[in-house]
């Protein structure tokens, strides 16, 4: 830059700063009266010229230049205001519609294949594997679309928000499963009493590679223990809870999210009616009962997902509960050793309630992504986040 232009720029900036000082002096009132500030546009123009002139002019002006720059800086907006997209009402509508679309897509994918075969036929299971895996793989795109429509920025990566992270993964895999097994102490005792083999033989069968190879070739086992737990927890917990939590809060989301999960199981009515597996009344009664316990189980796994910040815990608990089934309380009442069994049932429930908070303490699992999300959106959740 030529020396003449530098000199003119410095002279102009010094004159502008001198003019500003005169404005400040003239704006002073009488003693005890507030000073009159110069117009904001004058301050911003002069401050921008000072920044362009460089540090030499700033040193020459001293404290006046620094005061101009401090006054001219725009006021920083709070983080929650920067994150606010559309109004909260629209955000909730987008969240609910996104969750409803995910549930319909998951259930609808099971019926894109036309077949007269029952749901347990290996050919039907293989086709449904394909469709639900495609829907589950695309479900994170729904969360991305929700983020763009609402303008909410979670502050973490999408995978972390959905429970795919390494921090605290070992306690997140073991402790929720242990807690669930404690709850099923009575059914586990009942299973061991009715098993013809002893504990040593049972462990040999469980750990034998041949047994696992046989399970991996069984389509029903793969569906109940692997594909269904993984895809259902991914869609109905990992994708839905981040979208519902900013709208409802974590506590209501624990009980709202399972409603989509429970309603999604009503599709079993279609097959039961088609194959006349029972009377219409019994079919609908069974569906209502199934909705009830799947909703309760969904609330439990949603609680685990929020408190641990991991997906692996809900998936393992889901797989274990699918293996155990609903506790056979009526059979326990008629069992020859019903009193020890009933004591096991009561002890399991008591220990579960006693250990529920300690074994899901967020301090064991690191930072919780959903709690970070709510902090960035301005919401405060202390009950489930601590």
């Amino acid at each position: 830059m030529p020396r003449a232009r530098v000199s003119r720029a410095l002279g102009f900036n010094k004159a502008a700063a001198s003019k500003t000082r005169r404005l400040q002096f003239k704006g002073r009132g009488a003693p005890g009266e507030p000073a009159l500030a110069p117009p904001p546009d004058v301050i911003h123009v002069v401050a921008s010229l000072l920044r362009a002139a460089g540090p030499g002019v700033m040193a020459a002006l001293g404290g006046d230049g620094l005061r101009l720059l401090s006054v001219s800086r725009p006021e920083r907006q709070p983080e929650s205001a920067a994150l606010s997209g559309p109004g909260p009402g629209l955000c909730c509508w987008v969240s609910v519609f996104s969750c409803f679309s995910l549930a319909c897509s998951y259930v609808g994918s099971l019926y894109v294949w036309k077949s007269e075969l029952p749901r347990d036929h290996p050919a039907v299971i293989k086709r449904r594997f394909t469709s639900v895996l495609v829907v589950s793989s695309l479900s994170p795109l729904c969360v991305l679309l929700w983020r763009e429509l609402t303008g909410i920025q979670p502050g973490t990566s999408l995978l972390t928000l959905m429970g795919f992270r390494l921090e605290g993964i070992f306690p997140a895999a073991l402790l929720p499963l242990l807690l669930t097994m404690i709850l099923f102490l009575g059914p586990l005792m009942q299973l061991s009493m009715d098993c013809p083999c002893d504990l040593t033989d049972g462990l040999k069968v469980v750990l034998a590679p041949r047994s696992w190879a046989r399970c991996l070739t069984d389509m029903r086992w793969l569906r109940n223990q692997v594909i269904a737990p993984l895809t259902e927890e991914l869609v109905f917990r990992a994708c839905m809870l981040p979208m519902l939590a900013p709208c409802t809060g974590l506590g209501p989301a624990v009980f709202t999210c399972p409603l989509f999960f429970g309603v999604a199981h009503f599709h079993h009515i279609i097959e039961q009616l088609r194959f006349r597996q029972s009377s219409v009344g019994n079919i609908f009664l069974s569906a209502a009962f199934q909705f009830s316990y799947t909703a309760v189980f969904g609330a439990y796994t949603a609680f685990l997902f929020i408190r641990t910040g991991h997906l692996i815990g809900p998936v393992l608990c889901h797989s274990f509960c699918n293996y155990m089934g609903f506790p056979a309380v009526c059979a326990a009442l008629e069992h020859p050793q019903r009193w020890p069994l009933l004591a096991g049932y009561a002890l399991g429930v008591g220990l579960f309630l006693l250990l529920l908070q300690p074994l899901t303490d967020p301090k064991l699992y690191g930072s919780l992504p959903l709690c970070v999300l709510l902090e960035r959106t301005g919401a405060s959740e202390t009950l489930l986040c601590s």
Side-chain angles (χ1 to χ4, degrees):
M1 186 174 181
R3 183 175 299 178
R5 292 178 60 187
V6 173
S7 300
R8 287 197 297 272
L10 293 176
F12 179 75
N13 283 293
K14 289 180 180 180
S18 176
K19 181 180 179 181
T20 302
R21 284 197 296 269
R22 288 197 301 272
L23 286 172
Q24 291 175 341
F25 178 77
K26 291 180 180 179
R28 291 173 185 161
E33 295 182 1
L36 300 176
D41 54 347
V42 175
I43 294 179
H44 292 306
V45 169
V46 174
S48 62
L49 292 173
L50 289 175
R51 291 191 188 96
V57 176
M58 293 297 301
L61 291 177
D64 291 334
L66 294 175
R67 281 195 296 271
L68 281 171
L69 288 180
S70 64
V71 171
S72 66
R73 287 193 185 99
E75 184 178 355
R76 184 179 179 182
Q77 296 295 328
E79 194 173 23
S80 59
L83 294 173
S84 59
L90 180 58
C91 177
C92 287
W93 278 109
V94 172
S95 300
V96 172
F97 180 77
S98 300
C99 294
F100 181 75
S101 301
L102 274 179
C104 291
S105 300
Y106 186 90
V107 176
S109 67
L110 301 175
Y111 293 94
V112 295
W113 312 99
K114 292 183 178 180
S115 176
E116 299 298 327
L117 299 173
R119 63 186 294 267
D120 289 335
H121 194 279
V124 176
I125 295 176
K126 289 179 182 178
R127 291 173 182 174
R128 290 184 171 183
F129 278 1
T130 303
S131 57
V132 297
L133 287 174
V134 170
V135 171
S136 302
S137 301
L138 296 177
S139 59
L141 297 179
C142 187
V143 184
L144 284 175
L145 180 61
W146 164 83
R147 189 180 66 180
E148 295 300 322
L149 291 176
T150 59
I152 295 176
Q153 299 299 324
T156 58
S157 67
L158 182 65
L159 290 179
T160 301
L161 187 65
M162 295 173 59
F164 294 96
R165 60 196 189 102
L166 294 178
E167 183 186 12
I169 190 170
F170 291 109
L174 297 177
L175 295 183
L177 181 60
L178 175 63
L179 183 65
T180 308
M181 294 176 71
I182 291 174
L183 176 62
F184 278 78
L185 179 61
L188 286 173
M189 290 176 56
Q190 189 172 350
L191 185 64
S192 64
M193 290 178 180
D194 296 339
C195 183
C197 56
D198 58 11
L199 180 61
T200 304
D201 294 337
L203 289 176
K204 290 180 180 179
V205 171
V206 169
L207 299 177
R210 186 174 300 177
S211 300
W212 284 100
R214 187 165 54 250
C215 290
L216 293 175
T217 56
D218 184 356
M219 291 295 105
R220 293 183 60 183
W221 187 90
L222 283 175
R223 178 192 63 191
N224 297 334
Q225 312 308 134
V226 180
I227 301 299
L230 178 60
T231 57
E232 288 179 359
E233 294 303 320
L234 174 62
V235 172
F236 291 95
R237 246 67 70 186
C239 290
M240 290 190 182
L241 279 172
M243 295 189 290
L244 287 174
C247 172
T248 63
L250 290 180
V254 168
F255 298 100
T256 304
C257 184
L259 298 179
F260 296 97
F261 181 64
V263 170
H265 285 77
F266 271 119
H267 72 93
H268 294 303
I269 297 177
I270 300 174
E271 186 163 350
Q272 291 175 354
L273 290 174
R274 188 175 67 177
F275 289 98
R276 304 292 182 185
Q277 295 180 355
S278 182
S279 64
V280 176
N282 288 338
I283 289 174
F284 279 95
L285 186 62
S286 174
F289 177 72
Q290 188 179 30
F291 168 79
S292 301
Y293 77 76
T294 51
V296 172
F297 173 77
Y300 172 60
T301 54
F303 175 84
L304 293 178
F305 181 82
I306 292 173
R307 294 275 290 179
T308 65
H310 283 272
L311 183 63
I312 187 171
V315 170
L316 293 178
C317 293
H318 195 149
S319 179
F320 174 77
C321 291
N322 279 358
Y323 174 77
M324 295 297 298
F326 191 81
V329 181
C330 294
L333 292 173
E334 299 175 356
H335 200 275
Q337 304 183 44
R338 60 178 177 273
W339 293 115
L341 271 183
L342 294 177
Y345 271 82
L347 181 61
V349 174
L351 289 175
F352 172 80
L353 295 176
L354 185 65
L355 298 173
L356 179 61
Q357 292 290 335
L359 291 185
T360 61
D361 191 342
K363 296 177 183 178
L364 300 171
Y365 310 103
S367 177
L368 302 183
L370 285 182
C371 297
V372 174
L373 170 64
L374 290 190
E375 289 177 2
R376 289 180 61 86
T377 55
S380 59
E381 286 283 347
T382 58
L383 184 60
L384 293 179
C385 295
S386 60

